[in-house]
Amino acid sequence: MNILKLYQDYRIPTPPPGHKHEGLQKGWVNTSCPWCTGNFGYHLGFCINPSSRYFNGFYCYRCGGKKTFATLARILNVTEDQARDIARQ
């Protein structure tokens, strides 16, 4: 799954270059966590670094690891089945 393309296609906001949560150079693509309450921030990272134990998975800096399709469904406001189909494309 190309998370950058998916976020672009669905207009999911990511941090601008230089933002403290902009983590592309470290192998992460961040966005707002749909599981957290309170402060809006780019706390949810999707790991694109193949050497990481979190590779191809979501991890929130505030509330921990998240299931991939449940989280993707929340981000896109679709069902988990629809999220799986979108990820396959």
Side-chain angles (χ1 to χ4, degrees):
M1 172 170 66
N2 183 336
I3 198 73
L4 281 171
K5 181 165 177 13
L6 189 142
Y7 283 177
Q8 289 170 351
D9 290 349
Y10 286 86
R11 295 187 174 103
I12 306 301
T14 58
H19 187 279
K20 68 180 180 178
H21 290 300
E22 191 271 323
L24 278 177
Q25 68 277 17
K26 296 176 186 167
W28 290 86
V29 178
N30 293 357
T31 194
S32 180
C33 180
W35 304 100
C36 285
T37 58
N39 180 28
F40 172 82
Y42 300 106
H43 304 124
L44 182 70
F46 184 86
C47 185
I48 56 173
N49 179 356
S51 65
S52 172
R53 69 183 177 130
Y54 298 109
F55 179 59
N56 277 340
F58 287 102
Y59 185 85
C60 176
Y61 299 119
R62 291 173 63 194
C63 63
K66 303 296 169 203
K67 292 183 178 181
T68 300
F69 296 114
T71 302
L72 191 57
R74 280 195 177 202
I75 290 170
L76 301 176
N77 197 29
V78 297
T79 68
E80 282 190 47
D81 287 338
Q82 289 170 317
R84 285 178 205 280
D85 290 341
I86 289 167
R88 284 187 199 120
Q89 295 174 0

